Amino acid sequence: MLPAYEVEMKGIPLLRCGWILAIFASGVAAGAQMTTSQYDNARTGANLNERVLTPRNVNAQQFGKLFTMKVDGDVYAQPLFLAGVEVPGKGRHDVVFVATEHDSVYAFDAYGNPSAPLWQTSFLKDGATTVPSGDVACPFIEPEVGITSTPVIDAKSGTLYVLARTKQYHVFSHNAYHQELHALAVTNGVEKPGGPVEIEASVAGRGTGSAGGQVAFHPLRENPRAALLLSKGMVYLSWGSSCDVGPYHGWVMAYDAHSLKQRAVFNTSPDANDGGIWASDTGPAADADGNVFVATGNGRFDAAKGGRDYGDSLLKLGFDGLKPQDYFAPYNVEELDANDDDLGSGGPMLLPDQPGPHPHLVVLGGKAPKIYVLDRDHLGRYHEGSDSGVVQTVRTTGGIYGSMAYWNHQVYVLSDSDALRDYEMKNGQLTYKAASSFRFPDHAATPAISANGDKDGIAWVVSSKGWNSGGRTAVLHAVDASDVTHELYNSNQNSGRDGAGTAVRFNMPMIVNGHVYVGAKREVDVYGLLTVRR
């Protein structure tokens, strides 16, 4: 059995492509699975079983765009992948699953054969529409809000879990807004028994928007950006807001993966406000014991004084009931709140066991700009005047909007308006190693790694867009993960052939079976090795 931070991939079939370009591959094993954001529940961002793409063949002469999957809405969610799915009436396929802001989920043949979707499921039924960006009073996701969070797949049961937002117009009463957890069969997109489930919750508290001593979940104001998490038979969902439009709170909810019954609810600010869980489209992390790690944004922090509010904190929530087991809050937590320097602009990454005095580490970055290296067995809590409870802090050029990637004792991070930087992790300490030759001008991104174990590592990153920047083409970059100063490829080197779609914020590429999948506005662009088909 693979360690928790690796990806299970067994027996990848020979690659195929029905387009003008074909893929050459041999000796690749079958049964690949990319079932969750950033490849695993530790959120390491690394596929350690990529045997086709190497630093020797990823270049503008051998590698480029193969085809494009057209969809009905913008793609913020990271695509997911299952090998060998039996699709009724259409045979066996390796399948890529794509979720859109137009409230659709698509299943495509991973190699474009056929090019049409194998199935498509829409949640716009019985008069429901997506939520207009004007209704949430925020331009961050526009023109419509539907599915933003990366879904999660239970490969054993063949179930894809997805959180969708809809609006129901009413002529003679107030319009209704809904958030629902769906459970779809991966074979045909049909809703499974028990789904969908309306998201509803309330907790005791006196916080903003409370009534009668209860704080209730607000389906319009609560914005789910962070990916779904499947751990120990539970599906975890989390929320922040749209542009800090209140009232809102940070929420985490657990649902039984089999029955879809709600099992636990946690609110980060029951007696205050805000404390949203953003993560810039990355996901909550879970360790081998099922503890869930989430970082919060701005809001009151009073937990060190016996309160229940956890603004700008990293939380370790227990598997049983989502009760806080431990936390970390920076010494300048009040300053972070006052300056809108969310700790929770980034998402946590759990490292595989390390040598030295702190074998179980978690790394996290926020807007500060700073990386925190923490012992997840003793997160450090709050210490007035200094961060004496942390293992290490590292200054970054800009704020971190997303997460990092880990491979071969290296941590890769791209902060706002900076280059992709490589830090070596040794005895629980990060040491700066090198930076890429390219720099993103006004936005950050979450990198991903493909490698064959500890060989042939490639670091991939997609240029995003600033919240207030105009439309721009997404650019896929690849660098040698052993030497990030060596850029192997970018999609602008041959833009006529390889140009991607219009960028959206925070997109993460998905790399599997010699292919790279890049979400954009109303499309997913697919890259791989170029071999002319005879």
Side-chain angles (χ1 to χ4, degrees):
M1 186 173 184
L2 295 172
Y5 54 89
E6 294 187 4
V7 181
E8 184 179 354
M9 300 177 64
K10 303 173 185 175
I12 303 171
L14 290 178
L15 304 181
R16 58 193 185 280
C17 180
W19 292 66
I20 296 175
L21 300 175
I23 305 304
F24 172 79
S26 62
V28 194
Q33 299 184 99
M34 297 298 176
T35 60
T36 193
S37 172
Q38 302 153 268
Y39 301 101
D40 52 49
N41 283 355
R43 309 307 189 189
T44 61
N47 168 10
L48 303 181
N49 295 273
E50 176 53 54
R51 304 176 191 176
V52 177
L53 301 177
T54 74
R56 296 173 297 283
N57 60 27
V58 173
N59 53 67
Q61 290 70 48
Q62 296 173 271
F63 179 90
K65 188 166 78 170
L66 303 177
F67 58 93
T68 295
M69 299 168 172
K70 294 292 186 180
V71 293
D72 63 6
D74 298 347
V75 180
Y76 285 79
Q78 188 175 24
L80 301 176
F81 177 96
L82 282 180
V85 177
E86 288 287 351
V87 180
K90 297 183 179 179
R92 190 177 182 88
H93 295 265
D94 290 357
V95 176
V96 169
F97 300 90
V98 179
T100 77
E101 293 291 352
H102 197 63
D103 274 325
S104 284
V105 178
Y106 290 81
F108 286 96
D109 179 90
Y111 318 116
N113 185 23
S115 58
L118 300 169
W119 56 257
Q120 176 190 357
T121 294
S122 173
F123 301 129
L124 302 182
K125 301 174 182 177
D126 301 322
T129 70
T130 55
V131 180
S133 57
D135 288 19
V136 300
C138 180
F140 287 0
I141 301 173
E142 57 181 5
E144 59 184 350
V145 182
I147 303 169
T148 306
S149 305
T150 298
V152 69
I153 296 173
D154 182 353
K156 291 182 179 179
S157 68
T159 307
L160 184 146
Y161 301 94
V162 58
L163 179 59
R165 301 182 65 177
T166 58
K167 176 181 181 178
Q168 196 78 41
Y169 288 90
H170 294 293
V171 176
F172 300 110
S173 61
H174 292 295
N175 295 322
Y177 297 92
H178 301 277
Q179 296 197 30
E180 293 180 313
L181 174 61
H182 296 264
L184 306 181
V186 298
T187 54
N188 56 14
V190 172
E191 191 88 46
K192 289 197 166 186
V197 171
E198 183 88 14
I199 304 300
E200 297 176 316
S202 64
V203 297
R206 306 180 305 278
T208 302
S210 63
Q214 292 286 311
V215 177
F217 178 82
H218 196 304
L220 175 61
R221 295 297 173 221
E222 298 297 337
N223 183 32
R225 291 212 71 139
L228 277 62
L229 168 70
L230 176 64
S231 176
K232 302 289 187 182
M234 295 288 175
V235 178
Y236 294 92
L237 315 175
S238 55
W239 288 266
S241 81
S242 302
C243 293
D244 284 318
V245 177
Y248 78 93
H249 300 263
W251 294 85
V252 185
M253 300 184 199
Y255 289 80
D256 186 288
H258 176 69
S259 67
L260 295 189
K261 292 186 181 298
Q262 189 182 86
R263 298 302 188 193
V265 173
F266 176 74
N267 185 301
T268 66
S269 54
D271 299 317
N273 60 298
D274 302 357
I277 297 164
W278 313 99
S280 301
D281 292 7
T282 63
D287 64 17
D289 295 325
N291 296 303
V292 176
F293 294 79
V294 294
T296 67
N298 300 151
R300 184 173 72 190
F301 171 78
D302 62 11
K305 299 176 182 178
R308 303 189 298 161
D309 302 314
Y310 291 92
D312 288 307
S313 304
L314 175 66
L315 289 159
K316 179 180 180 179
L317 304 176
F319 166 71
D320 185 14
L322 288 176
K323 294 180 175 59
Q325 306 297 302
D326 200 0
Y327 72 86
F328 163 72
Y331 77 94
N332 59 339
V333 62
E334 292 184 359
E335 178 185 341
L336 296 181
D337 181 29
N339 295 335
D340 191 31
D341 283 337
D342 304 69
L343 180 67
S345 66
M349 179 175 69
L350 313 185
L351 300 189
D353 287 359
Q354 300 290 313
H358 304 283
H360 303 141
L361 294 175
V362 54
V363 293
L364 172 71
K367 292 183 185 178
K370 190 180 292 185
I371 297 171
Y372 298 90
V373 182
L374 305 164
D375 185 334
R376 62 180 188 262
D377 296 326
H378 305 282
L379 287 177
R381 305 212 165 202
Y382 170 80
H383 295 270
E384 187 174 357
S386 73
D387 286 327
S388 58
V390 310
V391 175
Q392 184 188 16
T393 60
V394 178
R395 296 288 297 180
T396 54
T397 299
I400 294 173
Y401 296 79
S403 190
M404 300 163 236
Y406 177 89
W407 175 70
N408 226 17
H409 306 290
Q410 312 294 311
V411 171
Y412 303 86
V413 57
L414 200 156
S415 65
D416 194 36
S417 304
D418 196 17
L420 177 66
R421 296 185 181 270
D422 175 14
Y423 295 84
E424 183 179 20
M425 173 60 71
K426 188 173 183 180
N427 292 324
Q429 297 284 313
L430 290 176
T431 302
Y432 174 69
K433 184 177 178 182
S436 66
S437 58
F438 62 86
R439 180 184 296 265
F440 285 2
D442 61 355
H443 48 272
T446 297
I449 303 293
S450 66
N452 183 7
D454 61 0
K455 300 181 299 183
D456 293 334
I458 300 174
W460 306 83
V461 65
V462 176
S463 67
S464 180
K465 67 182 291 292
W467 70 268
N468 58 350
S469 60
R472 61 177 63 161
T473 300
V475 181
L476 173 66
H477 294 264
V479 302
D480 187 334
S482 297
D483 177 12
V484 298
T485 65
H486 179 204
E487 184 175 19
L488 304 170
Y489 167 87
N490 74 67
S491 56
N492 273 349
Q493 291 171 338
N494 187 341
S495 59
R497 182 193 69 195
D498 296 348
T502 302
V504 298
R505 292 189 83 196
F506 308 134
N507 258 19
M508 294 172 282
M510 190 266 287
I511 307 99
V512 62
N513 281 19
H515 291 66
V516 182
Y517 299 85
V518 178
K521 290 188 74 67
R522 301 178 69 89
E523 67 186 63
V524 173
D525 298 297
V526 185
Y527 295 79
L529 298 183
L530 306 172
T531 302
V532 177
R533 186 174 178 179
R534 301 293 182 182

